[in-house]
Amino acid sequence: MKIAVCLRRVPDTTTKIVVAAGGKSIDEAGVKFVANPYDEYALEAALALKDAAGSGETTVVALGGDIVQETLRTALAMGIDRAVHLQGTPSADGLANARVLADHLRGGGYDLILCGKLAVDDYGQQTGAMIAELLELPCATAITRLDVAYGRASVEREVEGGVEAASCALPAVFSCDKGLNNPRLPSLKGIMAAKKKPLEVIAVTPDAGGVTVVALALPPERAPGKIVGEGAAAVPALMQALTSDAKVI
């Protein structure tokens, strides 16, 4: 089985974000970047399927500048076999980026293409479904279970009040959600091995697309907390604050 995983480099969710001069991007100075957490579920799913099959090939693909190779090496350290760096500047338009990924994946002979359900920096939730549409492949989004057998995949995802199950023939594209697995951490052996694994660089030029970032803004500062007292004696004051001040009950 050949499995491709689309990976994105995003700011660490614990990093303090500062809007850059011009107000249309973030100031990357001092910002720690990591693999998109939802993409890590996709990486783990690919590795687990290969481990269970005992054979196959896993490939991680990322679009971005040269710095994205650092994130690709992290995926290789987890156990992915090879990496492809689509070297170019991503567009603000998710469809333009999905076209670049789909153009590369098309004809690659992949049985399964996995993505995170969203990137934590823009919450687009679109790449996996767009790639599937462009490649004319079956797609399920935000999956929390994945089983593959006899050329078919069975998936589940959480819906309001329950679980939705589906199945389809491979090849297919799935986006992965929290709960699918517990991503492994790179081992020291894996980190050393990653330095020797193949990382192919392909220059690409995403089109500008139809989306323009007009402005970025940080959320308003939260009001300071208020201590109304301690123990049972504080309950009346707490109820007063919740009903009259905050008006949440």
Side-chain angles (χ1 to χ4, degrees):
M1 177 182 291
K2 291 185 67 175
I3 307 172
V5 179
C6 299
L7 180 66
R8 179 155 164 168
R9 177 177 175 267
V10 298
D12 190 319
T13 53
T14 62
T15 295
K16 183 177 181 180
I17 297 298
V18 176
V19 178
K24 296 183 179 180
S25 61
I26 68 168
D27 183 352
E28 296 189 2
V31 175
K32 179 184 178 183
F33 284 84
V34 298
N36 178 44
Y38 289 98
D39 296 345
E40 291 183 334
Y41 299 123
L43 290 168
E44 178 60 37
L47 292 169
L49 286 170
K50 181 188 172 184
D51 290 346
S55 62
E57 180 185 70
T58 54
T59 301
V60 59
V61 183
L63 167 64
D66 289 344
I67 194 65
V68 80
Q69 292 185 18
E70 177 182 288
T71 311
L72 287 170
R73 288 292 179 192
T74 300
L76 294 175
M78 289 175 67
I80 295 293
D81 297 316
R82 57 186 290 268
V84 178
H85 173 203
L86 301 178
Q87 188 182 49
T89 302
S91 170
D93 188 337
L95 179 57
N97 299 328
R99 285 184 176 132
V100 171
L101 291 165
D103 287 345
H104 173 73
L105 295 167
R106 184 180 292 109
Y110 294 107
D111 302 289
L112 200 56
I113 298 171
L114 301 173
C115 309
K117 78 165 185 178
L118 56 82
V120 297
D121 56 352
D122 67 6
Y123 272 57
Q125 303 192 53
Q126 54 192 347
T127 302
M130 286 179 170
I131 290 173
E133 177 66 19
L134 291 166
L135 297 179
E136 299 181 337
L137 294 178
C139 177
T141 57
I143 64 169
T144 55
R145 181 177 176 181
L146 170 62
D147 296 308
V148 174
Y150 307 108
R152 293 189 65 84
S154 299
V155 300
E156 291 182 357
R157 65 175 177 181
E158 296 182 0
V159 295
E160 185 68 29
V163 174
E164 182 180 54
S167 67
C168 67
L170 299 180
V173 181
F174 302 129
S175 69
C176 304
D177 198 358
K178 183 179 181 180
L180 177 62
N181 51 46
N182 294 309
R184 68 192 72 182
L185 295 174
S187 64
L188 178 59
K189 181 180 179 181
I191 293 171
M192 298 303 293
K195 298 177 180 178
K196 298 180 180 179
K197 289 184 177 179
L199 195 162
E200 182 181 6
V201 180
I202 301 173
V204 296
T205 307
D207 62 54
V211 174
T212 301
V213 176
V214 177
L216 290 180
L218 297 175
E221 292 286 341
R222 291 185 177 181
K226 179 181 178 182
I227 298 176
V228 298
E230 295 183 2
V235 172
L238 177 61
M239 293 300 296
Q240 174 70 22
L242 293 174
T243 56
S244 301
D245 299 342
K247 298 180 180 179
V248 295
I249 59 175

